[in-house]
Amino acid sequence: ATTPVSLKATAGLRLLPGDKADNILKAVEALLREQPFKLAPGGVAIMDGKDEGAFAWLTLNYLLGKLEGPVADTVAAIDMGGGSIQEAFALDDEAAKAAPK
């Protein structure tokens, strides 16, 4: 009961017509509430595209063992799905400071 759980759908769910996406999210939330986990409000939702890209980059670089070294050793992640495309890559501090807000 103290283990937090969250389930985030990707952009493809937004493509469903009418209120189908909302109905799916509500059904999943109801199912998770029956489980012995801690589900916070908003724990079942459609993920923002920025988060999709960030999680794809983090997962890829974690699996490749590249999170411990310099930023230059990380790899870019491109996630092409049914409803969106995300590209994510790390910048060194100098390049990040020069990037537009």
Side-chain angles (χ1 to χ4, degrees):
T2 60
T3 303
V5 66
S6 178
L7 189 136
K8 303 294 181 181
T10 58
L13 199 59
R14 285 190 214 108
L15 298 176
L16 295 178
D19 59 353
K20 287 187 176 187
D22 285 335
N23 291 341
I24 290 171
L25 292 173
K26 287 176 186 173
V28 169
E29 183 172 350
L31 179 68
L32 288 177
R33 291 210 179 276
E34 296 173 3
Q35 308 307 313
F37 299 110
K38 179 181 176 182
L39 182 64
V44 177
I46 297 174
M47 186 183 318
D48 181 83
K50 291 180 285 189
D51 291 335
E52 281 189 63
F55 283 124
W57 179 90
L58 182 64
T59 301
L60 178 61
N61 282 280
Y62 171 78
L63 292 173
L64 293 174
K66 297 195 173 277
L67 294 178
E68 298 290 324
V71 170
D73 290 347
T74 62
V75 296
I78 299 175
D79 179 14
M80 300 187 309
S84 64
I85 297 174
Q86 290 79 32
E87 179 182 0
F89 51 91
L91 299 172
D92 61 32
D93 290 340
E94 186 177 323
K97 287 177 187 173
K101 298 253 183 221

